[in-house]
Amino acid sequence: AVDRSGHFGVENSHPQHLRALDDDLAGFWSWLQDHPSYADHTTLVIVSDHGRHDTGEGKNPWREHGDSCAGCRHVPLLVLGPDVVVGPSAERVTLEDLGVTLAALFDVDLPWARGRVATELFTRELPVPERGVAELGLAGGLEGDLELLDATEQRARVVVDGVELSSPEAFDVEGLAMVHGTLATWACFRELHLQEEGSSPWVPRCFQFRDEAWSETLAFQPEVGPTWEVALGERPGGGIRAAWVENINGVVGNDEDDYDDERVRLRVATGDGASWEVVDLGVLTGFPTGTTVSVGPTDFFVAWSAAEEGKEARHKRRIQVAEMVAGEASDIASIDLAPLVGEAYRAERPALARGGVRRLAAIVTTADDLVLALAEGDEA
């Protein structure tokens, strides 16, 4: 009722439901404290899945959520329990932090999970997993590391052969991609700068290594969504080709009146860092994953994993490959992996052989197993 009242925008309905929920939560906590098995042994965490627009802008302020506005990122967090510090905390806590913090309460180690253990919320010492490299890039003899950090205001950074490319002021960094081209080695990623007001989008950044030095280039677009990952391929003669997925209206979120605009498109860019020529590969209903690029002397391919059509089939995924000719997709083929693995329920994370060779690898979920499928094709 709290969620629906907010979305329908009935005046005063949303705060009324919140107050009713407050009473229920207080009663639940009192019941736990009176229960012989739960009293003094239970930690209760109250949190929402997202915030709401608080800027007064847009068609339906307060009804919409999920994009990059500051209000959408602000969520309530209340922690109650025998080991909880009493009073407010000034440190920033994200939903990712909450996952690893709850795991630490149970002495469960999550070494590969993003997020930090919010030790400041508790009076007892909690185990903190070691931080390390979360993403790795290799190109042109250079190694790029996306390192996770424990700092509350800097969660990650990109370092390539000892040079920090990401901004020290960035709250988080994700999606490292590298490629070695004819004239330079390239590194691209996205970073997040949080603002107390207004918008806090993910921003793409690209750098090229030439003449033994790094320099920042023009990014493909001003801002991207939180799931943006770019696939890079060298361009014969210099520059690179890139592919990524984005929402049609540039917003990753819940817009009450624009469900059609929330479908996604696959974009392909060709350029040298000073300018980009961008084309779209059409509108896709299921969010593609694992976009990859293969560039040869004359061939240019893009592959991705896309959902089947229809609401009920949205979790079933197939591999699609587009051959790019003169900046346009001459054909988009769905790869039939059944002869290799039998019925393929989910086919994801495709990888194309470099050099324009028609070879493809993908992770496939079948009825019985999880397999690595290797496929080879020809002109047909």
Side-chain angles (χ1 to χ4, degrees):
V2 173
D3 189 68
R4 288 176 61 85
S5 65
H7 280 296
F8 283 104
V10 179
E11 187 175 2
N12 294 324
S13 176
H14 190 56
Q16 287 174 2
H17 284 300
L18 284 173
R19 293 188 187 99
L21 186 60
D22 285 343
D23 291 338
D24 289 340
L25 290 171
F28 179 53
W29 178 247
S30 296
W31 179 85
L32 290 172
Q33 296 304 100
D34 291 336
H35 197 287
S37 297
Y38 296 125
D40 299 324
H41 298 287
T42 303
T43 300
L44 177 65
V45 179
I46 302 167
V47 67
S48 71
D49 55 345
H50 56 75
R52 294 196 177 276
H53 280 285
D54 61 356
T55 61
E57 300 173 355
K59 292 179 293 298
N60 299 304
W62 289 103
R63 288 178 59 185
E64 301 166 3
H65 62 76
D67 62 20
S68 59
C69 81
C72 296
R73 293 188 181 278
H74 290 168
V75 298
L77 174 62
L78 176 63
V79 185
L80 304 171
D83 300 315
V84 176
V85 175
V86 177
S89 172
E91 301 294 343
R92 197 185 302 275
V93 180
T94 70
L95 291 177
E96 286 181 327
D97 298 342
L98 189 57
V100 295
T101 301
L102 295 178
L105 281 173
F106 288 103
D107 293 323
V108 174
D109 189 20
L110 298 179
W112 303 111
R114 293 184 70 102
R116 70 173 185 89
V117 178
T119 56
E120 72 278 2
L121 301 181
F122 299 90
T123 57
R124 70 180 177 93
E125 185 176 354
L126 297 181
V128 177
E130 292 185 6
R131 304 280 78 185
V133 175
E135 300 175 26
L136 177 67
L138 297 169
L142 300 176
E143 177 182 325
D145 299 327
L146 194 151
E147 303 173 351
L148 298 183
L149 306 175
D150 273 325
T152 58
E153 297 301 323
Q154 186 184 12
R155 301 304 179 85
R157 65 177 183 174
V158 168
V159 178
V160 182
D161 275 17
V163 179
E164 185 173 351
L165 297 183
S166 57
S167 171
E169 288 74 37
F171 177 73
D172 207 353
V173 184
E174 294 182 352
L176 172 64
M178 294 180 63
V179 69
H180 181 60
T182 307
L183 301 177
T185 298
W186 295 73
C188 297
F189 49 87
R190 70 178 188 272
E191 62 181 34
L192 177 65
H193 293 255
L194 294 181
Q195 308 294 330
E196 292 301 321
E197 296 180 355
S199 181
S200 297
W202 287 88
V203 177
R205 300 188 69 190
C206 282
F207 296 80
Q208 61 173 319
F209 185 76
R210 183 185 295 189
D211 299 328
E212 302 300 316
W214 286 100
S215 61
E216 187 164 9
T217 69
L218 179 69
F220 310 116
Q221 58 192 49
E223 59 185 62
V224 294
T227 56
W228 182 85
E229 290 184 5
V230 66
L232 302 178
E234 66 271 25
R235 184 182 69 168
I240 57 172
R241 282 169 169 154
W244 69 94
V245 176
E246 68 176 20
N247 279 54
I248 299 299
N249 60 2
V251 174
V252 179
N254 189 340
D255 189 329
E256 297 295 323
D257 296 332
D258 290 328
Y259 284 120
D260 288 340
D261 289 341
E262 290 182 354
R263 297 171 70 171
V264 297
R265 61 186 171 191
L266 185 63
R267 309 197 83 186
V268 176
T270 301
D272 57 4
S275 62
W276 299 103
E277 180 183 347
V278 180
V279 297
D280 296 339
L281 267 67
V283 178
L284 307 168
T285 55
F287 199 87
T289 64
T291 307
T292 182
V293 173
S294 176
V295 181
T298 58
D299 298 312
F300 174 29
F301 296 94
V302 180
W304 63 92
S305 171
E308 300 283 0
E309 295 288 340
K311 183 177 180 180
E312 297 304 319
R314 66 187 184 276
H315 298 299
K316 189 171 183 179
R317 307 192 71 86
R318 65 193 187 280
I319 302 298
Q320 292 187 297
V321 180
E323 183 173 7
M324 306 295 295
V325 177
E328 301 291 338
S330 63
D331 185 40
I332 297 179
S334 290
I335 306 302
D336 183 13
L337 296 173
L340 290 173
V341 299
E343 183 179 2
Y345 182 69
R346 293 177 69 93
E348 301 177 282
R349 294 295 171 184
L352 288 169
R354 296 182 60 186
V357 181
R358 289 173 170 82
R359 292 196 182 108
L360 170 78
I363 298 174
V364 184
T365 304
T366 67
D368 304 315
D369 208 349
L370 189 69
V371 298
L372 177 66
L374 306 174
E376 187 171 17
D378 54 23
E379 294 292 340

